[in-house]
Amino acid sequence: MKKVFGRPKSLKATPFHYCPGCGHSIIHRLIGEVIDEMNLQEKIIGVPPAGCAVLAYNYFDIDMGEASHGRAAAVATGFKRVLPDRIVFTYQGDGDMAAIGTAESIHAAARGENITTIFVNNGVYGMTGGQMAPTTILGQNTTTSPRGRKEKTEGFPINLSEMLAIARGSSYIERTAVNTPANILKTKKAIAKAFRLQMQGYGFTLVEILSACPTNWKMDPVKSSKWIDEVMTSHFPLGVLKDNSGDKKDAH
Amino acid sequence: MLIKTIFSGFGGQGVIMMGYLLATAGMIEGKNVTCLPSYGAEVRGGTANCTVVVSSEEIASPVASEPEYAVLMNNPSLIRFQNQVQSGGTVFLNSSLIEDRPIRGDLVIYEVPLNDLIKQLSENRGANVVMLGAFIKKSGLVTPETMIRVLKDTFSGKNPAVFKSNRSALMLGYEYLK
Amino acid sequence: MPKVLMRGNHVVGEAAIRAGCRYYFGYPITPQNEIPEYMSEKLPEAEGGVFIQAESEIASVHMVIGASMAGGRVMTSSSGPGISLKQEGISFLCALELPAVIVNMSRGGPGLGNIAPSQSDYFQATRGGGHGDYRTIVFGPNSCQELADLTYEGFNLADKYRTPVLVLGDGMLGQMMEPVELPQEIPLKKLPAKDWALTGAKGRASRFIRSLILDPIKEEEHNWKLMRKYEKITREEVRWETYFADDAKMMVIAFGIAARIAKGAIKRLREEGVKVGLLRPITLWPFPFKAIKEISKKVKHFFVFEMNMGQMLEDVKLGLEGNGEVHFYGRPGGVILTPLEIARVISSQYYQKRLG
């Protein structure tokens, strides 16, 4: 019998610990598939974050070096400058990337550091228990914005990808989601494109992925997926924010 | 023997270079040397200085609280350092820029009119090296032959003419003080 | 090899390059700016050399982590306030067991303080400074020659033990010029192989380097492993020197620039028949506890001189274990004493104790 679906070989045979409906498992799998398809397992280095994906090295069968909270872009810079012919990516959540690591993220993009960032935006600090994130949208309840985020007191959420698109050193930035089969396929293509552009030396590439956190959103997985479409995307619109590659629009 | 010298002047008058050249010459002659330039906020706003210690023994501190020699290139330097020099010490003054004279009576003073002297040089510059020539003549800390060698090592890399003009400047100062 | 007259900060840069360091990440702060300036000029000329002026001290130390994981010999430098910011990364370097050399040309503190030479970062350097249970090798050089030798040696020890090495200088050491005999350059091919580095899993199983160990039993194992390493370093890497120790009735204990000034003072005092000697720790961690204990069998009076309010003093007292009387004289804030001044303070103690 022909096997038509299996575990990517760049993922270990370890079951994910993530909650039901969490986007991390899907995103891990997509990255694994892209690594396999582009034959990168022997030349890619991942930098996992502090956050829910901190244990990513238990799942990826590739070299991985942990970064402390927010510093992944700096650690990846160190890797890439020593090993310029390897593919280096960071895997970061919204708190990691857009709060504590804002400086590292912006300056890696501004330098045009030839690395790829997978930016998983679920609007909360998942691992620490659902506190307000820099990307928590107005009105959203979290454990540290229990009355809903208000601009007067908690301030506005940050659209970091749009900011990074302004940086001259960034080459490709796209925001996708993993809430529907179509969006999942688009996400995979975006990840593959980002890695390809890195291999071609385009400089900083980033894929922001809107991802559900049913546990901390206090919604079931189906409702979470709908909430991404109905609410989250109005604050964080999907699509290509920047593309210097010369590819045709939306071509991957 | 342990001799401390302070070089002081406006930033741009080449006082750090004077210190560097003297310390290098001392090193070549097999002496212990240290050279401590002023740095940071201290040198913003104009006055730079540099302390050189030349010694036959190990040097404990590169700081000179009571130097034997002070080479002063502008008036603020005179005001700052005239009272720090040891009793019986020697002050070299750039008399083209410094109108005041030390009020102390226990110092040996040499006046060197650098602006007039450099007119004798082809490029009208190199006042710091002219002063250095005068300084080594009277201090005897290093020989002019060693200093010429240092000038050669320091300046002939880019352009041999730069070395030659510096050598002329050195000898001009050396011969000015009798 | 002939000596060259070089500024301390330049000496650090040149010694690092000769030790095979090809990666430098830093951020400007006085009085160490000549280190990044030197590296920015020289590294791009060296084979594979990379210099980045990072957006912060925090970013620069994490670039060091990435480069070290990738197997490079790597360095960063700063001064007091900047080293405070690097503490996060230093804790991670220890936890991740990564080699690196970190130079602190310390200045007056706390806070912004000033840019004058001070020894106020002794605690920060020797007690960890960052979070968690760890140690770093700390060198306290007292001349440009030692800056060269210890920076160079720092890279070897960092690789040998897979641990960061701190070089604790000060503003004066960074700024002053002295004749230096530079160490021999190591060809990159002769650098020790790193079979743990992350280079892409080519022809081998994939591996990872991490400090998150959620299982307390495993974290404890990791801590004990680090402890065994620190014990080995303590046994094998302690360095100190003594001066006029044989017949001394009073021993001065000082490190770095302060030790150098104290040595000048002791030389003067010996000429006057005052029997004082000097013990100078060269490694501040591991600290020469045994040497101090040994001396305390013969000498009962100790004079600790530091350019701070009394930090190494605590280590001296630990080493003495109550044997001997300790007098402390400190000048914080970046004040530099002359050998004559410190000689007066030492001799006043000496005669008050009726030692002469």
Side-chain angles (χ1 to χ4, degrees), chain B residues 33-175:
Chain B
V33 296
T34 60
C35 173
L36 180 66
S38 55
Y39 60 92
E42 198 187 349
V43 298
R44 311 280 175 263
T47 302
N49 69 73
C50 181
T51 304
V52 176
V53 183
V54 179
S55 172
S56 55
E57 352 158 336
E58 210 176 319
I59 299 169
S61 173
V63 177
S65 51
E66 294 184 346
E68 281 79 5
Y69 296 102
V71 179
L72 308 175
M73 300 291 275
N74 64 359
N75 217 49
S77 302
L78 174 72
I79 293 165
R80 177 159 173 201
F81 291 113
Q82 61 175 339
N83 293 332
Q84 289 190 20
V85 180
Q86 277 188 17
S87 185
T90 305
V91 172
F92 295 77
L93 291 178
N94 173 11
S95 57
S96 302
L97 284 185
I98 304 176
E99 289 172 4
D100 299 347
R101 291 295 174 266
I103 48 172
R104 293 169 57 181
D106 59 344
L107 300 176
V108 179
I109 295 166
Y110 293 108
E111 299 181 10
V112 187
L114 293 171
N115 290 4
D116 298 333
L117 287 172
I118 58 169
K119 286 177 189 153
Q120 300 175 35
L121 296 167
S122 54
E123 292 182 28
N124 285 353
R125 50 187 298 199
N128 60 335
V129 180
V130 176
M131 184 60 111
L132 194 60
F135 171 77
I136 62 170
K137 170 82 163 273
K138 287 298 170 187
S139 68
L141 274 180
V142 296
T143 66
E145 291 75 25
T146 308
M147 191 55 85
I148 287 169
R149 187 180 145 192
V150 173
L151 292 175
K152 192 172 182 187
D153 292 347
T154 309
F155 295 112
S156 54
K158 290 168 196 157
N159 182 355
V162 179
F163 158 58
K164 283 182 186 155
S165 64
N166 274 293
R167 184 177 58 190
S168 307
L170 185 84
M171 294 321 291
L172 180 64
Y174 193 81
E175 278 151 19

Side-chain angles (χ1 to χ4, degrees), chain A residues 12 42 45 54-55 57 61-66 68 71 74-75 77-79 81-83 86 103-104 107 111, chain C residues 23 52 55 58-59 62-63 66-67 69-70 88 92 198-201 203-204 206-212:
Chain A
K12 293 172 182 165
E42 294 186 335
I45 298 165
V54 65
L55 296 169
Y57 47 73
D61 195 6
I62 59 171
D63 276 10
M64 292 201 111
E66 171 199 274
S68 60
R71 318 297 175 215
V75 173
T77 297
F79 270 117
R81 295 296 183 112
V82 177
L83 304 165
R86 312 299 200 280
E104 286 79 0
H107 283 274
R111 282 194 306 271
Chain C
Y23 311 100
I52 295 181
E55 62 273 24
I58 300 174
H62 288 278
M63 290 175 187
M69 283 184 184
E88 172 188 314
F92 273 75
L198 303 180
T199 53
R204 59 164 170 81
S206 67
R207 52 189 172 223
F208 54 80
I209 298 179
R210 56 89 172 84
S211 65
L212 181 88

Side-chain angles (χ1 to χ4, degrees), chain C residues 91 127 130-134:
Chain C
S91 167
R127 297 307 193 260
H131 66 280
D133 220 348
Y134 73 86

Side-chain angles (χ1 to χ4, degrees), chain A residues 105-176:
Chain A
S105 306
I106 288 179
H107 283 274
R111 282 194 306 271
E113 208 63 52
N114 194 23
I115 58 173
T116 298
T117 287
I118 308 298
F119 170 25
V120 180
N121 178 358
N122 62 12
V124 285
Y125 283 82
M127 195 190 213
T128 46
Q131 293 82 9
M132 186 181 74
T135 49
T136 296
I137 60 174
L138 291 178
Q140 192 176 343
N141 287 351
T142 70
T143 60
T144 51
S145 59
R147 292 166 206 84
R149 183 175 194 158
K150 292 184 198 71
E151 65 269 32
K152 281 259 159 75
T153 44
E154 286 83 19
F156 293 98
I158 189 169
N159 284 48
L160 188 70
S161 293
E162 279 84 349
M163 290 167 65
L164 296 181
I166 297 171
R168 279 179 64 186
S170 63
S171 65
Y172 167 63
I173 295 180
E174 178 163 358
R175 184 182 288 120
T176 65

